[in-house]
Amino acid sequence: QRLKELYELDILQDEPDAVLQEVVEKTAKIFDAPVSVISLVLENRQWFKAHVGLPKDLAECRQTPREVSFCTHVVESRQPLVITNASQDERFCNNSLVIQRGLHFYAGVPLMTRNKNVIGTLCIYDYKARQFFEDDIKLLSLFADRVMAQLELKRDLAEARREKERYRYLSIMDTFLDIYNRQFLMDMVEAECKRSHRFRRPFAFLLLDVDHFKDINDHYGHLIGDHVLQDIVKIIKASVREVDIIGRFGGDELAV
């Protein structure tokens, strides 16, 4: 469920978000931390959605394996995690981020969705050991809430756009044949008439009536008749240009 919701947010691999980048920059400044990251934890890796202060190679690839991720512990526990000195913590003292990168301090809070799934963290790192108090965790959690609000807002807006496109599709299409319906077809004819008059150039309107279609339905049934119409539309689509408009004029009448 956690991964399902993460992927449904549709935020992986895309360009950095300006609002989220502002959050990590402010987080780093307020906590006087050299590194701040919004980390999304997948099956086998963590993905840096926004970051400031990461070493150049990590900033370019924007990910690490999950096994070296501090943030995976936050995802699994669903609780904030503070590591004051990772080099003296048996869980992390052999971690490559500690040994090779010199990161010693970590504080991360969960990014929790409306459905209470933890998809990642907002976290800070430091190259030296330091303290982090209860009030600090509360403040970092407030920033995490803003991150989730932005991620879910983008998801909701994307869903609204898709729904709008779906309603538009249903309003102008004969969905059974996947061609335009009569109303949209006639609107386009009117528009083409005006354009033809304005530029004094002709246009063509081709009306096709399927011969003996009633006989096909009567002898073979409406299901077979439906398949006949679909096959005819396929032939028409293969015979016209991409710019041409195909529509259903009536029951067995098609137009281009």
Side-chain angles (χ1 to χ4, degrees), residues 135-253:
D135 287 343
D136 296 323
I137 293 174
K138 290 179 180 178
L139 182 56
L140 189 60
S141 297
L142 287 176
F143 280 107
D145 290 342
R146 186 182 178 198
V147 171
M148 278 311 310
Q150 175 67 8
L151 293 177
E152 292 186 324
L153 175 63
K154 287 188 69 175
R155 190 265 315 278
D156 293 345
L157 289 174
E159 287 181 354
R161 283 194 295 270
R162 287 192 292 268
E163 195 67 10
K164 183 178 180 181
E165 290 167 2
R166 176 176 172 272
Y167 280 122
R168 171 166 168 74
Y169 173 81
L170 293 174
S171 70
I172 66 175
M173 298 296 289
D174 183 304
T175 55
F176 174 70
L177 295 178
D178 196 29
I179 57 177
Y180 293 111
N181 60 27
R182 181 188 176 104
Q183 181 60 56
F184 183 81
L185 180 69
M186 298 314 296
D187 289 344
M188 293 304 297
V189 168
E190 182 178 354
E192 288 297 323
C193 281
K194 292 177 179 177
R195 188 158 70 135
S196 174
H197 179 72
R198 183 166 71 252
F199 294 107
R200 297 185 179 182
R201 295 187 62 179
F203 78 98
F205 182 83
L206 179 64
L207 184 63
L208 303 102
D209 181 78
V210 182
D211 290 341
H212 314 299
F213 187 67
K214 184 177 183 302
D215 293 341
I216 293 172
N217 281 332
D218 290 345
H219 285 89
Y220 300 102
H222 288 277
L223 183 61
I224 298 299
D226 290 343
H227 287 308
V228 169
L229 278 180
Q230 288 173 327
D231 286 343
I232 291 172
V233 167
K234 289 178 183 177
I235 293 170
I236 295 172
K237 285 183 174 181
S239 306
V240 300
R241 304 168 302 173
E242 287 188 9
V243 296
D244 293 329
I245 296 165
I246 307 169
R248 190 172 191 174
F249 194 75
D252 60 353
E253 296 174 316

Side-chain angles (χ1 to χ4, degrees), residues 9-57:
L9 284 170
D10 196 23
I11 52 174
L12 300 170
Q13 305 294 343
D14 63 353
E15 292 302 312
D17 182 287
V19 174
L20 300 182
Q21 187 61 33
E22 181 185 14
V23 170
V24 293
E25 290 174 1
K26 286 186 175 180
T27 300
K29 184 176 181 179
I30 288 172
F31 291 103
D32 191 25
V35 180
S36 177
V37 179
I38 293 172
S39 173
L40 305 175
V41 179
L42 287 76
E43 297 95 327
N44 54 13
R45 62 191 174 104
Q46 65 173 347
W47 173 258
F48 304 137
K49 178 62 182 170
H51 58 83
V52 63
L54 278 175
K56 184 178 178 181
D57 58 332

